[in-house]
């Protein structure tokens, strides 16, 4: 999708939010941020892949930053919560080889994949009050989110066994 199409989709998604707000004083904003661990599982049809190679994949630590709005919808404690978030995800592969066992010249392999996303959640939230002073709530939220890849990087590193070339 080209950038013009993305902006058009964002405008169409955000237009009902802007039109549905009657009083700007009712809108609340919140900053969201934190550290998380993300991983995805690679599957293929190679027999024994999960036990021989798949076990060397590990999660990648990333972070998430963003802004979330809260727009009241009527008198039944329903709220629309649109937002925009920046999130980093990915995974890592790391394996050490024993050259006496595997008969290979590779001693070490490392592969890292970093994926950066811009996410747009559109949650419908119901707040159940837990106290009479309305300060404690239990939240139930559901809804879609749209994610656009902002950037990606890969890195490879390996070490090989050095042979004495004078013997050959």
């Amino acid at each position: 999708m080209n950038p013009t199409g993305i902006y058009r989709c964002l405008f169409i998604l955000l237009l009902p939010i802007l039109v549905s707000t009657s009083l700007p004083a009712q809108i609340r904003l919140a900053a969201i941020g934190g550290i998380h661990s993300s991983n995805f599982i690679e599957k293929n049809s190679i027999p024994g892949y999960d036990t021989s190679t798949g076990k060397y994949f590990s999660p990648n630590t990333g972070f998430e930053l963003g802004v979330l709005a809260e727009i009241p919808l009527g008198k039944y404690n329903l709220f629309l919560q649109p937002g925009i978030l920046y999130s980093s995800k990915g995974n890592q592969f790391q394996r050490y080889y024993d050259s006496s066992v595997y008969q290979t010249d590779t001693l070490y392999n490392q592969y890292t994949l970093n994926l950066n996303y811009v996410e747009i959640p559109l949650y419908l939230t119901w707040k159940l009050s837990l106290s009479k002073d309305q300060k404690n709530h239990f939240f139930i939220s559901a809804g879609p989110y749209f994610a656009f890849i902002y950037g990606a990087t890969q890195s490879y590193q390996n070490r090989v066994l050095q042979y004495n070339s004078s013997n050959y």
Side-chain angles (χ1 to χ4, degrees):
M1 181 180 275
N2 62 14
T4 305
I6 292 173
Y7 294 131
R8 192 174 301 147
C9 288
L10 286 175
F11 178 73
I12 290 170
L13 291 172
L14 295 177
L15 184 63
I17 296 167
L18 297 173
V19 172
S20 68
T21 58
S22 58
L23 295 174
Q26 294 178 344
I27 298 173
R28 295 172 46 180
L29 293 175
I32 296 175
I35 297 172
H36 62 84
S37 178
S38 65
N39 194 6
F40 54 87
I41 299 170
E42 294 186 22
K43 296 208 178 240
N44 60 41
S45 60
I46 299 172
Y49 177 81
D50 293 337
T51 57
S52 66
T53 305
K55 64 183 177 182
Y56 296 105
F57 283 96
S58 63
N60 193 10
T61 302
F63 66 94
E64 185 171 75
L65 293 172
V67 177
L68 190 69
E70 184 177 81
I71 304 167
L73 301 174
K75 299 178 184 180
Y76 301 105
N77 291 332
L78 283 176
F79 296 88
L80 179 65
Q81 291 184 329
I84 187 162
L85 307 168
Y86 173 82
S87 181
S88 63
K89 301 176 182 182
N91 73 350
Q92 298 178 18
F93 175 87
Q94 184 172 340
R95 184 174 182 182
Y96 292 94
Y97 296 92
D98 183 0
S99 61
S100 64
V101 174
Y102 290 106
Q103 300 300 319
T104 181
D105 62 350
T106 303
L107 300 175
Y108 172 76
N109 274 337
Q110 181 185 22
Y111 162 75
T112 304
L113 175 64
N114 294 315
L115 302 170
N116 302 315
Y117 289 93
V118 174
E119 299 175 350
I120 302 171
L122 296 173
Y123 300 139
L124 183 63
T125 302
W126 179 57
K127 291 184 180 181
L128 177 63
S129 181
L130 297 176
S131 63
K132 291 183 181 185
D133 61 359
Q134 301 288 323
K135 290 189 176 186
N136 299 318
H137 292 86
F138 178 75
F139 298 92
I140 298 176
S141 297
Y145 80 93
F146 304 93
F148 305 97
I149 192 155
Y150 179 71
T153 59
Q154 300 185 75
S155 66
Y156 295 95
Q157 182 182 27
N158 64 1
R159 292 186 186 174
V160 293
L161 187 62
Q162 293 286 331
Y163 290 107
N164 186 355
S165 62
S166 63
N167 293 336
Y168 295 105

